[in-house]
Amino acid sequence: MLDKAEIGIPCPKCSHTTKKTIAWIKANDEFPCGGCASTIILDKEGLLAGLKEAEQSIAKFRKSIGRLGKRR
């Protein structure tokens, strides 16, 4: 659901921010910083857990919107 969304990933050494899509992040573990060329290792476990929670919240919100205007 969020795979095309981009997020900025800051380098822990030089603070340069690199934008990557969620789909790209899901498929990769590391990448070189565009500012200092240091290898940035992604915390995919934490990120994927947060993404799952966000997707579940969005699904609940969509379900709630779908019920608007319906009589019970």
Side-chain angles (χ1 to χ4, degrees), residues 5-10 16-22 24-25 31 34:
E6 285 188 340
I7 61 169
I9 304 167
H16 175 80
T17 299
T18 303
K19 288 186 179 181
K20 298 288 186 185
T21 64
I22 303 260
W24 187 93
I25 293 168
F31 65 95

Side-chain angles (χ1 to χ4, degrees), residues 16-61:
H16 175 80
T17 299
T18 303
K19 288 186 179 181
K20 298 288 186 185
T21 64
I22 303 260
W24 187 93
I25 293 168
K26 286 179 178 178
N28 295 276
D29 293 324
E30 60 184 52
F31 65 95
C33 172
C36 69
S38 294
T39 300
I40 297 174
I41 299 172
L42 301 170
D43 174 15
K44 287 177 59 168
E45 185 176 317
L47 177 65
L48 294 177
L51 287 171
K52 182 177 181 180
E53 188 176 315
E55 287 177 340
Q56 289 172 342
S57 294
I58 291 169
K60 286 180 184 177
F61 179 69

